[in-house]
Structures are given as C-alpha cells and as structure tokens.
C-alpha cells in the first residue's frame, strides 16, 4: 500500500500544508509590512506582531477543532449559525459596527476588532452540511434541494451584502455551490442557482461606480495607471521583477509605499517579487496539497455530513485562494479578498485555521485513521520510554 493510500494521509498532508502556509505567511507579512509601519511611525514589527498573536490564538483553536468528534459539529450546527448571524448583524449597530474601505463589515468593542463575515463562512459550511445530509434522499426534488438551504444561505449572504462586501459574498456563494454539488443536488438545479447568483453579482457590480470601474479597468483597452489600474499594475510589476528566483527575502521594491495592501490582498505579488517564481509555485503547491487532502476526505469518508461540510470549506478556502491569486496576476478585477493563511488579518486567519481544524477532525475519523494514529502515538510513547530508561 503506497503512502497516498494510508488512512492517515489526509490528516498529515492537510496539517503539514496548513502549518507551512502559516509560517510562510508570517514571514511574508513581516517582510511586506515593515516599511509601511516605519513610515507610519510604528515599530517595523507592528503588523507582524499582531499577525503572530492571531496565529497563537488560531493554533489552539485549530487543535481543539481537530479533536472534537463529528457528532458535536452536527448537533450544534443550528446554534452555531444563529450565533454567527447575530454576530454579523452587530455590524449595523451604532457604536459597535464599523466601516473599513467602504465596507460596513466590522465590529469594534473596546480594543476588540473582528470581521463577523469570516465566522459566518464556517458557520454556514457546518449548517449546510447538517441540513443537506439529513435531506440527501430527497435532494432530487427541487423544493427539497433548495429549501431551506438556499433561502437561509441567501439571507446570510444578504447580511454581508448590505454591508457592501461583495468580495466576501462571492466567496460565500462558492461555498454554497460546493455544498450543493457535493450533496448530490442535480446539476441543473445547481447551475440555475449559480446563474441567479452570478446575475445578482453582476448587477451589484454595475450598480456601484467603484466596482464597475474595477471591471472596466480589467476589460478595457486603456486604463489610467495612476488611478483605477494603479494597484493592479504595481502588483504585476512585483511579479515581473521577481523573475525565477526573486530579489531576495526583504528586498521588495514595491512594498516601499508603491503597492497598496502589500501585506494583505496583494501579498502574493510580494512573494513573487522576493521569492520569484519558485515562491509563487510553492504557494500554489501547498494550496494544491490542501485541496487534494480535502477532496480525499470527501472521497473516503462515509458520513454525508462530513462530505458536504468538507466540500463547502474546500470551495471557500481553495476558491478564495484562487480568486486572490487571479486578482494579483490580472485575470480578475480587484475585489478585496485575502490569501488564506498568508495575508495579514486576524479574523480571516483565526477562522480559516478553525475551519481547517474541522476538516482535520474529519480526516482523523476516516476509515482506519483513528486506529493508525493511535498505533503511531503508542509507538512514540514506547520509544520515548525506552530512550528515558537508556539514559537512566
């Protein structure tokens, strides 16, 4: 039996790829943010220190999520969604909700700042898994396929759209589409729902001068390099300058106040500039490994709830990564979504790590995985005991 067919392959691949991306992200956040921090009169380590704190919060949360049994997630799916919906609604409460870059999608209470829509993604994925798994024998009928999944998901996405965060809403649409597809909803129904969602996204983009300007700057033959195309052009400059091997870690030129959001939405450009094609391929390789591990969980696990929830989380995290990279390389208009595990941002990092912890929990319950992990931990304990006796 090859290594890929081992019952613990999904667990180790997903855990390893997650931790490697997390470490790479911390290094690149430090590199890409230090100059802007100094220019603002702060420590060059300010953004990195915040990101490291968020990672230290996310690691134990991911560990706990990876140890919870599948039954816990299924049982508390409705309460989790309810709490997330209330949390999202708080962005509209005066004195608590806050606007950032035109999006009313933040909550500030004292020194605590959070983006509730990130938690909404995870809650929606778990809830869709529970609802669609229970109704799986009836999903061939359109009314059972769509109700209550689509109306409730539409309401949750609507709460995000009211705050003008179209980018996050589009990622949530990918999540819902992935859940419906993995659940076995007929393709014609999924395609119809996707068409309605796409039409709504286009209408919202056209209705906003800012969003329509971004689309026109991508599709138009000419664009003002000092206005609408400024960020996209400088992102391409960073990628082009890096070449094969990059300029060297810390040697980016675009991070010297040329490229906006260099440590956030456009961090992939700084990776390409400093680490070259090798660095960008490393990111793509790790994202691919995460995708393969999650699809392996879907294929091997027998529980429909696990399959659907994993499919939703995969479409969210992998889809968001591809959208972010597509924006940086000029294939998509700028829509403001971070690169999971790599871009700076506390809410996104913590929630993404929690979501991956959920999938790692599912991987631990694959057929044969629990026994294999228990056997390996037993071998480690016996080996340490032998070493301790030998030293004694």
């Amino acid at each position: 039996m090859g290594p890929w067919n081992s019952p613990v392959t999904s667990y180790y691949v997903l855990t390893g790829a997650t931790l490697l991306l997390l470490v790479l992200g911390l290094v690149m956040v430090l590199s890409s943010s230090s100059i802007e921090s100094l220019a603002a009169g702060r420590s060059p380590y300010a953004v990195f220190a915040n990101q490291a704190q968020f990672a230290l919060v996310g690691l134990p949360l991911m560990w706990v999520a990876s140890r919870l049994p599948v039954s816990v997630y299924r049982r508390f799916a409705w309460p989790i969604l309810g709490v997330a919906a209330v949390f999202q609604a708080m962005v509209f409460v005066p004195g608590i909700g806050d606007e950032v870059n035109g999006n009313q999608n933040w909550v500030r209470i004292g020194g605590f700042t959070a983006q509730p829509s990130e938690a909404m993604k995870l809650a929606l994925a778990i809830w869709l898994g529970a609802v669609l798994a229970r109704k799986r024998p009836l999903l061939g009928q359109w009314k059972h396929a769509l109700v209550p999944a689509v109306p409730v998901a539409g309401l949750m996405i609507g709460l995000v759209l009211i705050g003008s965060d179209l980018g996050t809403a589009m990622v949530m649409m990918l999540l819902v589409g992935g859940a419906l597809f993995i659940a076995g909803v007929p393709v014609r129904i999924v395609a119809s729902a996707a068409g309605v969602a796409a039409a709504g996204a286009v209408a919202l983009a056209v209705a906003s001068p800012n969003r329509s300007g971004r689309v026109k700057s991508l599709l138009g033959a000419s664009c003002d390099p000092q206005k609408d195309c400024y960020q996209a052009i400088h992102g391409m400059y960073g990628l082009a300058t890096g070449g094969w091997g990059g300029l060297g870690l810390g040697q980016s030129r675009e991070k010297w106040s040329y490229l906006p959001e260099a440590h956030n939405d456009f961090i992939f450009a700084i990776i390409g500039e400093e680490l070259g094609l090798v660095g960008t391929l490393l990111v793509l390789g790790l994202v691919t490994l995460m995708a393969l591990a999650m699809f392996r969980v879907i294929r091997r696990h027998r529980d429909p709830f696990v399959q659907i929830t994993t499919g939703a989380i995969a479409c969210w995290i992998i889809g968001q990564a591809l959208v972010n990279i597509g924006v940086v390389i000029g294939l998509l208009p700028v829509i403001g979504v971070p690169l999971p595990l790599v871009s700076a941002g506390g809410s996104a990092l913590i929630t993404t790590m929690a979501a991956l912890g959920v999938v790692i929990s599912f991987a631990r319950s694959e057929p044969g995985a629990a026994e294999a992990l228990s056997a390996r931990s037993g071998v480690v304990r016996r080996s340490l005991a032998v070493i301790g006796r030998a030293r004694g």
Side-chain angles (χ1 to χ4, degrees):
M1 183 172 64
W4 184 253
N5 293 321
S6 169
V8 293
T9 296
S10 303
Y11 170 77
Y12 283 118
V13 170
L14 190 57
T15 303
T18 298
L19 295 177
L20 286 173
L21 273 176
L22 178 64
V23 172
L24 176 64
L26 289 172
V27 172
M28 294 312 303
V29 166
L30 173 60
S31 177
S32 59
S33 65
S34 56
I35 302 302
E36 290 285 349
S37 294
L38 282 171
R42 298 182 295 170
S43 165
Y45 304 102
V47 177
F48 166 77
N50 284 336
Q51 190 74 355
Q53 290 175 3
F54 295 135
L56 290 175
V57 172
L59 281 171
L61 187 61
M62 184 175 74
W63 185 86
V64 171
S66 70
R67 270 22 183 207
L68 290 176
V70 174
S71 58
V72 171
Y73 294 111
R74 184 189 293 107
R75 184 180 304 119
F76 291 99
W78 279 94
I80 291 173
L81 183 67
V83 171
V86 172
F87 192 28
Q88 178 63 39
M90 290 174 65
V91 303
F92 308 112
V93 177
I96 296 178
D98 193 24
E99 180 180 319
V100 177
N101 295 330
N103 294 337
Q104 186 75 23
N105 202 22
W106 291 84
V107 168
R108 296 185 188 273
I109 303 176
F112 173 77
T113 303
Q115 190 174 8
S117 58
E118 294 296 331
M120 178 67 76
K121 295 174 186 174
L122 178 55
L124 189 57
I126 295 173
W127 179 83
L128 285 169
V131 169
L132 293 174
R134 191 178 69 250
K135 301 188 70 173
R136 202 167 197 178
L138 304 172
L139 294 181
Q141 306 173 40
W142 70 267
K143 60 182 179 180
H144 289 289
L146 298 180
V147 180
V150 173
V152 173
L155 177 61
M156 300 300 109
I157 295 172
L159 287 174
V160 176
L161 283 174
I162 293 174
S164 301
D165 193 348
L166 181 59
T168 299
M170 291 176 66
V171 173
M172 293 174 69
M173 293 175 192
L174 286 176
L175 182 157
V176 175
L180 294 175
F181 180 78
I182 297 299
V185 174
V187 174
R188 67 180 187 279
I189 298 178
V190 177
S192 299
V196 172
V202 170
L204 289 171
V206 171
S208 169
N210 184 33
R211 295 179 188 135
S212 60
R214 295 178 188 177
V215 176
K216 291 176 182 177
S217 67
L218 176 70
L219 302 178
S222 62
C223 182
D224 189 344
Q226 296 299 321
K227 293 182 180 179
D228 292 336
C229 290
Y230 181 86
Q231 189 176 28
I233 288 176
H234 280 272
M236 294 297 291
Y237 284 168
L239 290 172
T241 304
W244 290 94
L247 301 178
L249 187 62
Q251 301 302 311
S252 168
R253 300 163 185 165
E254 290 298 326
K255 69 183 182 183
W256 288 74
S257 301
Y258 292 109
L259 177 62
E261 301 294 336
H263 62 289
N264 199 325
D265 300 344
F266 273 74
I267 197 170
F268 189 73
I270 304 300
I271 293 173
E273 187 179 12
E274 295 190 348
L275 305 181
L277 181 64
V278 174
T280 59
L281 290 179
L282 173 62
V283 173
L284 287 171
L286 291 173
V287 170
T288 300
L289 283 176
M290 290 176 60
L292 291 175
M294 286 192 272
F295 291 135
R296 188 177 186 273
V297 172
I298 295 171
R299 182 177 62 84
R300 286 175 50 84
H301 215 288
R302 302 188 183 99
D303 190 337
F305 167 74
V306 168
Q307 295 172 338
I308 298 166
T309 303
T310 303
I313 292 174
C315 287
W316 153 24
I317 295 176
I318 306 304
Q320 182 171 318
L322 295 178
V323 168
N324 175 275
I325 293 170
V327 168
V328 175
I329 65 177
L331 294 179
L332 296 172
V334 178
I335 59 176
V337 295
L339 183 58
L341 297 174
V342 180
S343 294
S347 298
L349 179 62
I350 291 172
T351 308
T352 301
M353 293 178 71
L356 290 168
V358 172
V359 182
I360 291 171
S361 169
F362 297 162
R364 289 172 59 87
S365 62
E366 280 186 32
E371 295 80 3
L373 289 170
S374 177
R376 293 191 181 190
S377 62
V379 169
V380 171
R381 286 195 297 269
R382 289 194 295 272
S383 300
L384 291 175
V386 170
I387 293 172
R389 286 196 296 269
R391 288 181 176 177

